[in-house]
Amino acid sequence: DFSDNGDGTVTLTDYYPKLSDSTDVVIPSTVSRNSDGQWTEGDTFTATAIADGSYNSHQDSLSNGVFAHQDITSVVLPDTIEYIGECAFFNCSGLASITLPSSLTSIRNHVFDYCDNLQPSITDDNGVKYLGSEQNPYLVLWNGKGITSSSYTVNPDCKIIYFRAFLYCDSLTSITLPEGLTSIGDYAFQDCSG
């Protein structure tokens, strides 16, 4: 389901699995409303965001997001999406791949928590994992927790550093950020004592 933002754009607010065996999700870049008020693929509104959910630190099963707790294995987001809201893919344990568009400028917290099968687009020589697409596999620095060097240079094509990306990187004392960086997630450098 979508919510009209009042400016020709919409936000994806709910996901209802289709009555099929497919666990692959492809979000349309544009949608329209039919005469019954139902959203369908069309060209009236541009999809630019996935709505925020909420995180429950006391009971994970109560955390919610648009796709949270769903049995999905792959997601392709259109090149119109700019924002992914909190907990969007929370506990999608079967999620193995996601294609993120270059239009993306912000990803909130807990989006990929418990997505244990999610594979990075690319892992660099330092073991730092990125998510993105075929066009830009370095779009989001997703997980740098295994880094052991004292300094690190983020790939110049990276636009977003994800929530808690460098959690507990004790040896890290300096980091070089690219000019095109648009967002650094909350607690990206939490407990980096170096």
Side-chain angles (χ1 to χ4, degrees), residues 22-102:
S22 179
T23 57
D24 301 323
V25 176
V26 178
I27 306 299
S29 60
T30 56
V31 294
S32 296
R33 270 201 180 143
N34 64 22
S35 59
D36 295 329
Q38 300 296 315
W39 293 101
T40 61
E41 198 165 340
D43 61 2
T44 308
F45 299 94
T46 302
T48 59
I50 298 175
D52 279 311
S54 64
Y55 176 70
N56 186 313
S57 62
H58 301 291
Q59 190 170 354
D60 288 338
S61 64
L62 296 179
S63 295
N64 65 55
V66 172
F67 296 93
H69 311 284
Q70 296 290 332
D71 183 24
I72 56 178
T73 56
S74 71
V75 175
V76 176
L77 299 180
D79 62 3
T80 56
I81 296 291
E82 300 169 357
Y83 177 86
I84 299 176
E86 185 150 342
C87 296
F89 298 98
F90 186 89
N91 196 30
C92 289
S93 59
L95 182 62
S97 71
I98 186 163
T99 301
L100 300 175
S102 60

Side-chain angles (χ1 to χ4, degrees), residues 75 110 120-121 142 166 183 187:
V75 175
H110 306 287
S121 301
W142 166 48
F166 290 101
S183 175
Y187 312 108

Side-chain angles (χ1 to χ4, degrees), residues 10 51 56 61 73 76 100 105 135 138 143 145 160 167 177-178 194:
V10 291
N56 186 313
S61 64
T73 56
V76 176
L100 300 175
T105 59
Q135 292 78 20
Y138 294 99
N143 185 337
K145 295 173 188 152
I160 300 167
L167 180 68
L177 302 174

Side-chain angles (χ1 to χ4, degrees), residues 14 27 53 62 105 110 128 131 133 140 149 157-158 182 185 188 190:
D14 286 305
I27 306 299
L62 296 179
T105 59
H110 306 287
V128 176
L131 296 173
S133 67
V140 177
S149 62
D157 292 332
C158 179
T182 60
Q190 181 179 354

Side-chain angles (χ1 to χ4, degrees), residues 168-188:
Y168 303 122
C169 290
D170 294 341
S171 61
L172 191 61
T173 58
S174 72
I175 189 162
T176 303
L177 302 174
E179 284 187 28
L181 196 66
T182 60
S183 175
I184 297 176
D186 292 343
Y187 312 108

